[in-house]
Amino acid sequence: MKLTLDHTQRLNLHALLGAQRADVGSVRAIWAVQDKLALDADEETAIELKRELVGGQSVRCGTRLS
């Protein structure tokens, strides 16, 4: 199966996966999926993605995310 997601869907899915609690094996599987979903530098620049620290956690926001 091939799944096509836009940048907003990829960022949202990445965040949802990161919030999951699981055993070590499952967490490693989640990390592998997150690595495939991650935006490359050109995509981050294109959507003007910025990272900020809020409450000790990294938060991503983009001015062109719509």
Side-chain angles (χ1 to χ4, degrees), residues 21-37:
R21 296 179 186 256
D23 59 34
V24 173
S26 297
V27 169
R28 287 185 179 149
I30 288 170
W31 287 343
V33 171
Q34 285 179 316
D35 288 344
K36 291 182 182 198
L37 291 171

PDB file of all heavy atoms in Angstrom, residues 21-37:
ATOM      1  N   ARG A  21       2.444   6.034  23.916  1.00  0.00           N
ATOM      2  CA  ARG A  21       3.211   5.314  24.936  1.00  0.00           C
ATOM      3  C   ARG A  21       3.227   3.846  24.519  1.00  0.00           C
ATOM      4  O   ARG A  21       2.196   3.288  24.157  1.00  0.00           O
ATOM      5  CB  ARG A  21       2.581   5.453  26.305  1.00  0.00           C
ATOM      6  CG  ARG A  21       2.574   6.868  26.808  1.00  0.00           C
ATOM      7  CD  ARG A  21       1.909   6.955  28.162  1.00  0.00           C
ATOM      8  NE  ARG A  21       1.783   8.333  28.564  1.00  0.00           N
ATOM      9  CZ  ARG A  21       2.564   8.901  29.469  1.00  0.00           C
ATOM     10  NH1 ARG A  21       3.506   8.216  30.053  1.00  0.00           N
ATOM     11  NH2 ARG A  21       2.387  10.169  29.776  1.00  0.00           N
ATOM     12  N   ALA A  22       4.420   3.253  24.580  1.00  0.00           N
ATOM     13  CA  ALA A  22       4.526   1.859  24.128  1.00  0.00           C
ATOM     14  C   ALA A  22       5.796   1.231  24.697  1.00  0.00           C
ATOM     15  O   ALA A  22       6.612   1.906  25.334  1.00  0.00           O
ATOM     16  CB  ALA A  22       4.554   1.819  22.608  1.00  0.00           C
ATOM     17  N   ASP A  23       5.960  -0.074  24.423  1.00  0.00           N
ATOM     18  CA  ASP A  23       7.188  -0.746  24.844  1.00  0.00           C
ATOM     19  C   ASP A  23       8.320  -0.367  23.881  1.00  0.00           C
ATOM     20  O   ASP A  23       8.101   0.288  22.862  1.00  0.00           O
ATOM     21  CB  ASP A  23       6.994  -2.261  24.905  1.00  0.00           C
ATOM     22  CG  ASP A  23       6.588  -2.858  23.565  1.00  0.00           C
ATOM     23  OD1 ASP A  23       7.049  -2.353  22.514  1.00  0.00           O
ATOM     24  OD2 ASP A  23       5.821  -3.830  23.571  1.00  0.00           O
ATOM     25  N   VAL A  24       9.530  -0.770  24.204  1.00  0.00           N
ATOM     26  CA  VAL A  24      10.704  -0.358  23.448  1.00  0.00           C
ATOM     27  C   VAL A  24      10.611  -0.761  21.980  1.00  0.00           C
ATOM     28  O   VAL A  24      10.907   0.030  21.087  1.00  0.00           O
ATOM     29  CB  VAL A  24      11.994  -0.940  24.083  1.00  0.00           C
ATOM     30  CG1 VAL A  24      13.209  -0.668  23.221  1.00  0.00           C
ATOM     31  CG2 VAL A  24      12.197  -0.378  25.473  1.00  0.00           C
ATOM     32  N   GLY A  25      10.168  -1.960  21.694  1.00  0.00           N
ATOM     33  CA  GLY A  25      10.058  -2.425  20.314  1.00  0.00           C
ATOM     34  C   GLY A  25       9.072  -1.598  19.512  1.00  0.00           C
ATOM     35  O   GLY A  25       9.337  -1.231  18.355  1.00  0.00           O
ATOM     36  N   SER A  26       7.953  -1.274  20.120  1.00  0.00           N
ATOM     37  CA  SER A  26       6.945  -0.461  19.434  1.00  0.00           C
ATOM     38  C   SER A  26       7.428   0.963  19.226  1.00  0.00           C
ATOM     39  O   SER A  26       7.173   1.568  18.184  1.00  0.00           O
ATOM     40  CB  SER A  26       5.639  -0.458  20.225  1.00  0.00           C
ATOM     41  OG  SER A  26       5.105  -1.755  20.302  1.00  0.00           O
ATOM     42  N   VAL A  27       8.128   1.510  20.213  1.00  0.00           N
ATOM     43  CA  VAL A  27       8.659   2.868  20.084  1.00  0.00           C
ATOM     44  C   VAL A  27       9.660   2.926  18.937  1.00  0.00           C
ATOM     45  O   VAL A  27       9.660   3.869  18.144  1.00  0.00           O
ATOM     46  CB  VAL A  27       9.300   3.350  21.406  1.00  0.00           C
ATOM     47  CG1 VAL A  27      10.090   4.631  21.205  1.00  0.00           C
ATOM     48  CG2 VAL A  27       8.224   3.560  22.459  1.00  0.00           C
ATOM     49  N   ARG A  28      10.489   1.916  18.800  1.00  0.00           N
ATOM     50  CA  ARG A  28      11.450   1.888  17.692  1.00  0.00           C
ATOM     51  C   ARG A  28      10.736   1.829  16.350  1.00  0.00           C
ATOM     52  O   ARG A  28      11.151   2.475  15.388  1.00  0.00           O
ATOM     53  CB  ARG A  28      12.406   0.716  17.848  1.00  0.00           C
ATOM     54  CG  ARG A  28      13.399   0.934  18.954  1.00  0.00           C
ATOM     55  CD  ARG A  28      14.415  -0.173  19.033  1.00  0.00           C
ATOM     56  NE  ARG A  28      15.357   0.122  20.107  1.00  0.00           N
ATOM     57  CZ  ARG A  28      15.969  -0.798  20.822  1.00  0.00           C
ATOM     58  NH1 ARG A  28      15.752  -2.079  20.598  1.00  0.00           N
ATOM     59  NH2 ARG A  28      16.817  -0.445  21.759  1.00  0.00           N
ATOM     60  N   ALA A  29       9.643   1.085  16.280  1.00  0.00           N
ATOM     61  CA  ALA A  29       8.858   1.018  15.049  1.00  0.00           C
ATOM     62  C   ALA A  29       8.233   2.383  14.740  1.00  0.00           C
ATOM     63  O   ALA A  29       8.200   2.820  13.587  1.00  0.00           O
ATOM     64  CB  ALA A  29       7.781  -0.050  15.163  1.00  0.00           C
ATOM     65  N   ILE A  30       7.749   3.061  15.773  1.00  0.00           N
ATOM     66  CA  ILE A  30       7.175   4.401  15.607  1.00  0.00           C
ATOM     67  C   ILE A  30       8.248   5.365  15.106  1.00  0.00           C
ATOM     68  O   ILE A  30       8.017   6.164  14.200  1.00  0.00           O
ATOM     69  CB  ILE A  30       6.539   4.899  16.921  1.00  0.00           C
ATOM     70  CG1 ILE A  30       5.248   4.120  17.196  1.00  0.00           C
ATOM     71  CG2 ILE A  30       6.269   6.399  16.875  1.00  0.00           C
ATOM     72  CD1 ILE A  30       4.654   4.359  18.571  1.00  0.00           C
ATOM     73  N   TRP A  31       9.463   5.278  15.674  1.00  0.00           N
ATOM     74  CA  TRP A  31      10.549   6.153  15.219  1.00  0.00           C
ATOM     75  C   TRP A  31      10.861   5.922  13.750  1.00  0.00           C
ATOM     76  O   TRP A  31      11.136   6.873  13.022  1.00  0.00           O
ATOM     77  CB  TRP A  31      11.794   5.921  16.051  1.00  0.00           C
ATOM     78  CG  TRP A  31      11.736   6.455  17.458  1.00  0.00           C
ATOM     79  CD1 TRP A  31      10.849   7.375  17.957  1.00  0.00           C
ATOM     80  CD2 TRP A  31      12.589   6.101  18.536  1.00  0.00           C
ATOM     81  NE1 TRP A  31      11.106   7.601  19.287  1.00  0.00           N
ATOM     82  CE2 TRP A  31      12.168   6.843  19.668  1.00  0.00           C
ATOM     83  CE3 TRP A  31      13.657   5.227  18.663  1.00  0.00           C
ATOM     84  CZ2 TRP A  31      12.801   6.739  20.902  1.00  0.00           C
ATOM     85  CZ3 TRP A  31      14.288   5.131  19.886  1.00  0.00           C
ATOM     86  CH2 TRP A  31      13.865   5.881  20.997  1.00  0.00           C
ATOM     87  N   ALA A  32      10.821   4.675  13.311  1.00  0.00           N
ATOM     88  CA  ALA A  32      11.106   4.373  11.902  1.00  0.00           C
ATOM     89  C   ALA A  32      10.064   5.025  10.993  1.00  0.00           C
ATOM     90  O   ALA A  32      10.404   5.579   9.945  1.00  0.00           O
ATOM     91  CB  ALA A  32      11.133   2.862  11.686  1.00  0.00           C
ATOM     92  N   VAL A  33       8.800   4.988  11.407  1.00  0.00           N
ATOM     93  CA  VAL A  33       7.742   5.632  10.623  1.00  0.00           C
ATOM     94  C   VAL A  33       7.936   7.149  10.648  1.00  0.00           C
ATOM     95  O   VAL A  33       7.809   7.819   9.617  1.00  0.00           O
ATOM     96  CB  VAL A  33       6.346   5.244  11.158  1.00  0.00           C
ATOM     97  CG1 VAL A  33       5.258   6.060  10.494  1.00  0.00           C
ATOM     98  CG2 VAL A  33       6.094   3.756  10.953  1.00  0.00           C
ATOM     99  N   GLN A  34       8.264   7.704  11.817  1.00  0.00           N
ATOM    100  CA  GLN A  34       8.482   9.145  11.920  1.00  0.00           C
ATOM    101  C   GLN A  34       9.632   9.593  11.019  1.00  0.00           C
ATOM    102  O   GLN A  34       9.563  10.653  10.409  1.00  0.00           O
ATOM    103  CB  GLN A  34       8.774   9.548  13.363  1.00  0.00           C
ATOM    104  CG  GLN A  34       7.551   9.542  14.237  1.00  0.00           C
ATOM    105  CD  GLN A  34       7.864   9.917  15.664  1.00  0.00           C
ATOM    106  OE1 GLN A  34       8.846   9.446  16.237  1.00  0.00           O
ATOM    107  NE2 GLN A  34       7.031  10.755  16.243  1.00  0.00           N
ATOM    108  N   ASP A  35      10.678   8.787  10.913  1.00  0.00           N
ATOM    109  CA  ASP A  35      11.800   9.128  10.038  1.00  0.00           C
ATOM    110  C   ASP A  35      11.356   9.231   8.584  1.00  0.00           C
ATOM    111  O   ASP A  35      11.807  10.093   7.842  1.00  0.00           O
ATOM    112  CB  ASP A  35      12.925   8.111  10.166  1.00  0.00           C
ATOM    113  CG  ASP A  35      13.673   8.215  11.484  1.00  0.00           C
ATOM    114  OD1 ASP A  35      13.533   9.262  12.164  1.00  0.00           O
ATOM    115  OD2 ASP A  35      14.387   7.260  11.837  1.00  0.00           O
ATOM    116  N   LYS A  36      10.438   8.359   8.179  1.00  0.00           N
ATOM    117  CA  LYS A  36       9.942   8.393   6.799  1.00  0.00           C
ATOM    118  C   LYS A  36       9.002   9.567   6.562  1.00  0.00           C
ATOM    119  O   LYS A  36       8.877  10.052   5.448  1.00  0.00           O
ATOM    120  CB  LYS A  36       9.250   7.078   6.455  1.00  0.00           C
ATOM    121  CG  LYS A  36      10.221   5.925   6.374  1.00  0.00           C
ATOM    122  CD  LYS A  36       9.544   4.647   5.979  1.00  0.00           C
ATOM    123  CE  LYS A  36      10.587   3.535   5.968  1.00  0.00           C
ATOM    124  NZ  LYS A  36      10.168   2.383   5.235  1.00  0.00           N
ATOM    125  N   LEU A  37       8.319  10.025   7.614  1.00  0.00           N
ATOM    126  CA  LEU A  37       7.374  11.134   7.493  1.00  0.00           C
ATOM    127  C   LEU A  37       8.045  12.504   7.579  1.00  0.00           C
ATOM    128  O   LEU A  37       7.463  13.505   7.171  1.00  0.00           O
ATOM    129  CB  LEU A  37       6.328  11.061   8.618  1.00  0.00           C
ATOM    130  CG  LEU A  37       5.339   9.919   8.568  1.00  0.00           C
ATOM    131  CD1 LEU A  37       4.534   9.891   9.864  1.00  0.00           C
ATOM    132  CD2 LEU A  37       4.436  10.041   7.377  1.00  0.00           C
TER     133      LEU A  37
END
